[in-house]
Coordinates of all heavy atoms in Angstrom, one line a residue:
T111 N -18.1 -1.4 9.3 CA -17.8 -1.0 7.9 C -16.8 0.3 8.1 O -17.3 1.3 8.5 CB -19.0 -0.7 7.1 OG1 -19.8 -1.8 7.0 CG2 -18.6 -0.2 5.7
G112 N -15.7 0.2 7.6 CA -14.8 1.3 7.6 C -14.0 1.5 8.9 O -13.2 2.3 9.0
I113 N -14.3 0.7 10.0 CA -13.7 0.8 11.3 C -12.9 -0.4 11.6 O -13.5 -1.5 11.5 CB -14.7 1.1 12.4 CG1 -15.4 2.4 12.2 CG2 -14.1 1.1 13.7 CD1 -16.5 2.8 13.2
E114 N -11.6 -0.2 11.8 CA -10.8 -1.4 11.9 C -10.1 -1.3 13.4 O -9.9 -0.2 13.9 CB -9.6 -1.4 10.9 CG -10.1 -1.7 9.5 CD -9.0 -1.7 8.5 OE1 -7.8 -1.4 8.9 OE2 -9.3 -1.9 7.3
G115 N -9.7 -2.4 13.9 CA -9.0 -2.5 15.1 C -7.7 -3.4 14.9 O -7.6 -4.1 14.0
L116 N -6.7 -3.1 15.8 CA -5.4 -3.8 15.7 C -5.2 -4.7 16.8 O -5.3 -4.4 18.0 CB -4.3 -2.8 15.7 CG -2.8 -3.4 15.7 CD1 -2.5 -4.2 14.5 CD2 -1.8 -2.3 15.9
I117 N -4.9 -6.0 16.4 CA -4.5 -7.0 17.4 C -2.9 -7.1 17.3 O -2.4 -7.6 16.3 CB -5.0 -8.4 17.2 CG1 -6.5 -8.3 17.1 CG2 -4.6 -9.4 18.2 CD1 -7.1 -9.6 16.6
H118 N -2.2 -6.5 18.3 CA -0.8 -6.5 18.2 C -0.2 -7.9 18.4 O -0.8 -8.8 18.9 CB -0.2 -5.6 19.4 CG 1.2 -5.2 19.2 ND1 2.2 -5.9 19.7 CD2 1.8 -4.2 18.5 CE1 3.4 -5.5 19.4 NE2 3.2 -4.4 18.6
I119 N 1.0 -8.1 17.8 CA 1.6 -9.4 17.8 C 1.7 -10.0 19.2 O 1.6 -11.2 19.4 CB 3.0 -9.3 17.1 CG1 3.6 -10.8 16.9 CG2 3.9 -8.4 17.9 CD1 4.9 -10.7 16.0
S120 N 1.9 -9.0 20.2 CA 2.1 -9.5 21.5 C 0.7 -10.0 22.2 O 0.7 -10.5 23.2 CB 2.7 -8.3 22.4 OG 1.7 -7.2 22.4
E121 N -0.4 -9.6 21.5 CA -1.8 -10.1 21.9 C -2.4 -11.2 21.1 O -3.6 -11.5 21.3 CB -2.6 -8.8 21.9 CG -2.3 -7.6 22.8 CD -2.3 -7.9 24.2 OE1 -3.1 -8.8 24.7 OE2 -1.5 -7.3 24.9
L122 N -1.6 -11.8 20.3 CA -2.1 -12.9 19.5 C -2.2 -14.2 20.3 O -3.1 -15.0 20.1 CB -1.2 -13.1 18.2 CG -1.4 -12.0 17.2 CD1 -0.4 -12.2 16.0 CD2 -2.8 -11.8 16.6
S123 N -1.2 -14.4 21.2 CA -1.2 -15.7 21.9 C -0.3 -15.5 23.2 O 0.4 -14.6 23.3 CB -0.5 -16.7 21.0 OG -0.3 -18.0 21.7
E124 N -0.6 -16.5 24.1 CA 0.4 -16.5 25.3 C 1.7 -16.8 25.0 O 2.6 -16.4 25.7 CB -0.3 -17.5 26.3 CG -1.7 -17.1 26.9 CD -1.6 -15.8 27.8 OE1 -0.5 -15.5 28.2 OE2 -2.6 -15.3 28.1
E125 N 1.8 -17.7 23.9 CA 3.1 -18.1 23.5 C 3.9 -16.9 22.7 O 3.1 -16.0 22.1 CB 3.0 -19.4 22.6 CG 2.3 -20.5 23.3 CD 3.1 -21.1 24.4 OE1 4.3 -20.9 24.4 OE2 2.5 -21.6 25.4
R126 N 5.1 -17.0 22.5 CA 5.9 -16.1 21.8 C 5.5 -16.3 20.3 O 5.6 -17.4 19.9 CB 7.4 -16.2 22.0 CG 8.2 -15.2 21.2 CD 9.7 -15.4 21.5 NE 10.5 -14.4 20.7 CZ 10.8 -13.2 21.0 NH1 10.1 -12.6 22.0 NH2 11.4 -12.5 20.2
V127 N 5.2 -15.2 19.6 CA 4.9 -15.3 18.2 C 5.9 -14.6 17.4 O 6.2 -13.4 17.6 CB 3.5 -14.7 17.9 CG1 3.2 -14.8 16.5 CG2 2.4 -15.4 18.8
E128 N 6.5 -15.3 16.5 CA 7.6 -14.7 15.6 C 6.8 -14.1 14.4 O 7.2 -12.9 13.9 CB 8.5 -15.9 15.1 CG 9.3 -16.5 16.1 CD 10.3 -15.5 16.8 OE1 10.7 -14.5 16.1 OE2 10.7 -15.7 18.0
K129 N 5.9 -14.8 13.8 CA 5.2 -14.3 12.7 C 3.7 -14.3 12.9 O 3.1 -15.4 13.2 CB 5.6 -15.1 11.4 CG 7.0 -14.9 11.0 CD 7.3 -15.8 9.8 CE 8.7 -15.8 9.3 NZ 8.9 -16.6 8.1
P130 N 3.0 -13.1 12.7 CA 1.5 -13.1 13.0 C 0.8 -14.0 12.1 O -0.2 -14.6 12.4 CB 1.2 -11.6 12.6 CG 2.4 -10.8 13.0 CD 3.6 -11.8 12.6
E131 N 1.3 -14.2 10.8 CA 0.6 -15.1 9.9 C 0.6 -16.6 10.3 O -0.2 -17.3 9.8 CB 1.2 -15.0 8.4 CG 2.6 -15.3 8.3 CD 3.4 -14.0 8.4 OE1 3.0 -13.1 9.0 OE2 4.6 -14.0 7.8
D132 N 1.5 -16.9 11.3 CA 1.5 -18.3 11.8 C 0.2 -18.5 12.7 O -0.2 -19.6 12.8 CB 2.7 -18.5 12.7 CG 4.0 -18.6 11.8 OD1 3.9 -18.8 10.5 OD2 5.1 -18.4 12.3
I133 N -0.3 -17.4 13.2 CA -1.5 -17.5 14.1 C -2.8 -17.2 13.4 O -3.8 -17.9 13.4 CB -1.4 -16.6 15.3 CG1 0.0 -16.8 16.1 CG2 -2.5 -16.7 16.3 CD1 0.2 -18.3 16.6
V134 N -2.8 -16.1 12.6 CA -3.9 -15.6 11.9 C -3.6 -15.3 10.5 O -2.6 -14.7 10.2 CB -4.6 -14.4 12.6 CG1 -5.8 -13.9 11.8 CG2 -4.9 -14.6 14.0
K135 N -4.5 -15.7 9.6 CA -4.3 -15.4 8.2 C -5.5 -14.5 7.8 O -6.5 -14.4 8.4 CB -4.4 -16.7 7.4 CG -3.1 -17.6 7.6 CD -3.1 -18.8 6.8 CE -1.8 -19.6 6.9 NZ -1.3 -19.8 8.2
K136 N -5.2 -13.8 6.6 CA -6.2 -12.8 6.1 C -7.4 -13.7 5.7 O -7.4 -14.6 5.1 CB -5.7 -12.2 4.8 CG -6.6 -11.1 4.2 CD -5.9 -10.5 3.0 CE -7.0 -9.5 2.4 NZ -6.4 -8.8 1.2
G137 N -8.6 -13.1 6.2 CA -9.9 -13.7 6.0 C -10.4 -14.6 7.2 O -11.6 -14.9 7.2
D138 N -9.5 -14.9 8.1 CA -9.9 -15.7 9.2 C -10.8 -14.9 10.1 O -10.7 -13.6 10.3 CB -8.6 -16.1 10.1 CG -7.8 -17.2 9.4 OD1 -8.3 -17.7 8.3 OD2 -6.7 -17.4 9.9
A139 N -11.8 -15.5 10.8 CA -12.6 -14.9 11.8 C -12.0 -15.2 13.1 O -11.7 -16.3 13.5 CB -14.1 -15.5 11.7
V140 N -11.9 -14.2 13.9 CA -11.1 -14.3 15.1 C -12.0 -13.6 16.2 O -12.8 -12.7 16.0 CB -9.8 -13.5 15.2 CG1 -8.9 -14.3 14.1 CG2 -9.9 -12.1 14.8

């Protein structure tokens, strides 16, 4: 609660990611 962390675009996938929302959407559990 109140503590957030950042998953940088470069850490979302082994593949090149153009848009973060293509991999994760708001509300998704990751």
Side-chain angles (χ1 to χ4, degrees):
T111 303
I113 296 180
E114 296 178 354
L116 172 64
I117 305 172
H118 193 266
I119 189 172
S120 62
E121 298 295 332
L122 289 175
S123 174
E124 293 290 348
E125 304 294 330
R126 179 179 178 82
V127 179
E128 296 293 337
K129 294 180 180 180
E131 58 265 29
D132 293 339
I133 307 298
V134 180
K135 291 182 172 50
K136 183 179 179 182
D138 288 352
V140 297

